[in-house]
Amino acid sequence: MGHGGGGRGEGVAESFADWAPGINSQRHDAPLNLYLHTPFCHHRCSFCPFFQNTTKPGFSERYAEFLCRDLEQKARWVGPSLTTRRISSVFFGGGTPSDLEAGDLARVLETLKRLYPIDTETEITVEGRIWGFSKEKAAAWRAAGANRISIGLQSTNSRLRRSMGRLADRGKIRRTLQHFVDLDFVTIVDLIYGLPNQDVASVVEDVRFLAEETGIDGLDLYALKQFPNSPLAKAVERGSIKSPADIQLRAEMFTAAAEALAQHGFEHFTPQHWRRGQRERSIYNQLAKTSADILPFGSSAGGRLGNVQISGFRTLEDYENAIEAGELGAHCITREAAPGQGFTDAIVAHIQRRMLPPLSQWPNRAAATPLLNNWREAGLIGAPCPDGLPLTPAGCFWFPHLQSLLTMWSTRIASQAA
Ligand code: SF4
């Protein structure tokens, strides 16, 4: 799915070309991350609101060509100050970047390495799905420098997968994941819980299969979101499919999956992510949720540099026209920091480490105490430790709500103090 920013004050859209040289040089101390978006998919998954373009013969070579030109144009504009900055992570997201042909994505990777200061520590992830991800493609991308693969699996249950528009069965999943492991990719999969007709046993069986029958390094566990314009939401509305799990059942699924992951030796790393060993660092996924700098490439890719939000042109035609005209394929909006933004950023960064900030960092401890006492009594946070207030598994399940409540609280406290 595409990366986007937002959430701060209003601003005026301007050409990224006018801004790029200045903003990057002001941010030379902060690590930089690159996001390359491929808004194409073989077919649309039932739950997905992000589908944009169908992969057609010839799309790969043409789109890779525009990505390379985008990389070149932005390197020219932003380039001089880039050499002073470390690139922590590169993420090929989508859509389905794994639908790009082996040679095309490898060419984009080669262009990237030629123009940007990528080093052996840079995490380079390619996102994809099992269908269409061949051994040859994976080998070509590994040879070109990709070192992490993230697969949107959603479930390993063939019946549930078919109902979502996912075609590969368990045998194909096992074989494909093994190719990645054999190629020494850090291999990550996404699972969804709360699907129609899914039960707790099915989620636990997903964990068992992946832990015991594959060599994956990490796993994300996402609650199903029923987006209003998705085929799934329309099918539920028509009554042709059972409603997804309610909140009670989703909580049971999350808890059971978290227990199964712990039993299989996975470390609970961020609220929605588990890892098996320290090879898995999840750098991009963590930073993308904070206010870290992300330079975007591709149609409808989003990112930010400091308080400047960057948005790629949404349609392919507009994107290609902008690149042809040398206009960097993006526009940007400067946003003013909201009141209390510093503490809000600290909340988001700590939550990625399954913590709330230590009490010493709270802007108004007296006002926070009743709220935190309630959350402790409800079993959402544990006893304070030097790093902060740890989220329990229940706190991790509820973290989006905790985060948005604390953001509102922080804004209100800062406005009252102003
Ligand atoms: S592959 Fe990903 S982006 Fe494409 S339709 Fe499926 S979930 Fe959506």
Side-chain angles (χ1 to χ4, degrees):
M1 84 189 56
H3 178 83
R8 298 191 182 181
E10 290 304 312
V12 180
E14 305 191 41
S15 160
F16 182 46
D18 294 338
W19 280 91
I23 43 182
N24 193 50
S25 59
Q26 289 161 20
R27 306 270 306 160
H28 54 84
D29 285 340
L32 181 65
N33 307 280
L34 310 183
Y35 177 76
L36 293 94
H37 191 57
T38 301
F40 292 87
C41 303
H42 178 265
H43 57 270
R44 181 173 186 167
C45 303
S46 65
F47 55 87
C48 181
F50 302 112
F51 176 86
Q52 283 179 274
N53 308 292
T54 306
T55 49
K56 294 195 177 116
F59 99 93
S60 173
E61 189 180 355
R62 182 181 173 91
Y63 191 66
E65 173 64 26
F66 275 98
L67 278 179
C68 288
R69 289 171 68 180
D70 196 351
L71 284 164
E72 280 165 6
Q73 288 183 6
K74 290 199 177 99
R76 255 200 315 279
W77 281 85
V78 188
S81 50
L82 268 180
T83 47
T84 63
R85 298 187 69 172
R86 230 204 114 240
I87 295 187
S88 308
S89 66
V90 177
F91 196 93
F92 286 83
T96 316
S98 59
D99 278 356
L100 290 167
E101 295 302 332
D104 294 327
L105 192 115
R107 190 155 52 91
V108 177
L109 276 163
E110 296 298 347
T111 306
L112 182 74
K113 286 192 303 188
R114 178 167 54 80
L115 297 170
Y116 294 81
I118 306 291
D119 62 37
T120 51
E121 286 298 299
T122 306
E123 177 188 86
I124 304 179
T125 304
V126 180
E127 194 179 52
R129 42 200 259 182
I130 295 284
W131 195 257
F133 216 146
S134 69
K135 198 173 178 178
E136 292 69 32
K137 277 187 182 179
W141 299 348
R142 186 75 182 103
N147 49 32
R148 186 171 179 268
I149 293 266
S150 175
I151 297 291
L153 208 52
Q154 324 314 357
S155 169
T156 67
N157 178 302
S158 299
R159 182 179 48 83
L160 284 175
R161 287 177 57 76
R162 273 196 303 278
S163 73
M164 286 183 280
R166 295 287 170 122
L167 306 176
D169 63 15
R170 270 193 168 190
K172 170 93 175 148
I173 292 171
R174 190 189 293 108
R175 286 191 301 278
T176 308
L177 294 177
Q178 192 56 46
H179 294 330
F180 303 148
V181 172
D182 291 346
L183 287 164
D184 202 31
F185 275 108
V186 174
T187 304
I188 308 302
V189 300
D190 291 352
L191 291 179
I192 288 185
Y193 63 96
L195 294 160
N197 297 312
Q198 192 182 32
D199 56 19
V200 173
S202 167
V203 180
V204 172
E205 170 56 17
D206 284 340
V207 171
R208 186 211 62 77
F209 169 77
L210 291 164
E212 293 180 3
E213 300 189 36
T214 77
I216 59 164
D217 297 284
L219 181 153
D220 286 292
L221 203 51
Y222 295 116
L224 175 73
K225 284 194 185 133
Q226 199 177 310
F227 294 98
N229 58 347
S230 65
L232 172 70
K234 288 178 188 155
V236 170
E237 224 172 81
R238 283 196 307 273
S240 56
I241 193 167
K242 204 176 150 190
S243 291
D246 61 16
I247 192 78
Q248 173 69 31
L249 182 52
R250 288 210 301 272
E252 287 170 25
M253 288 173 170
F254 182 87
T255 307
E259 283 170 9
L261 283 159
Q263 280 161 13
H264 283 95
F266 281 78
E267 174 194 358
H268 198 167
F269 192 46
T270 74
Q272 296 169 308
H273 186 65
W274 284 257
R275 68 176 182 177
R276 181 157 63 174
Q278 297 195 352
R279 251 164 56 95
E280 160 58 348
R281 298 173 295 164
S282 193
I283 296 174
Y284 180 86
N285 297 68
Q286 286 188 70
L287 290 175
K289 296 186 178 77
T290 70
S291 53
D293 283 2
I294 295 174
L295 187 59
F297 305 85
S299 169
S300 64
R304 64 187 161 248
L305 292 172
N307 65 340
V308 177
Q309 303 283 322
I310 306 160
S311 313
F313 291 102
R314 186 158 174 77
T315 68
L316 277 175
E317 192 186 357
D318 288 347
Y319 172 67
E320 291 183 0
N321 287 342
I323 295 289
E324 295 279 12
E327 290 171 358
L328 299 186
H331 47 249
C332 64
I333 298 178
T334 306
R335 297 192 185 274
E336 297 304 320
Q341 189 68 52
F343 186 61
T344 302
D345 288 348
I347 292 165
V348 174
H350 276 80
I351 282 182
Q352 282 309 300
R353 302 198 295 272
R354 299 195 299 122
M355 290 274 165
L356 299 181
L359 280 172
S360 58
Q361 291 183 20
W362 289 65
N364 184 335
R365 273 174 74 167
T369 301
L371 178 73
L372 294 175
N373 284 345
N374 278 342
W375 287 1
R376 198 168 294 120
E377 278 166 29
L380 301 174
I381 54 176
C385 65
D387 293 338
L389 306 167
L391 292 178
T392 62
C396 289
F397 175 75
W398 288 106
F399 94 90
H401 301 274
L402 305 189
Q403 187 167 304
S404 77
L405 277 170
L406 283 178
T407 301
M408 285 190 284
W409 179 86
S410 162
T411 308
R412 185 165 54 80
I413 293 290
S415 303
Q416 285 168 355

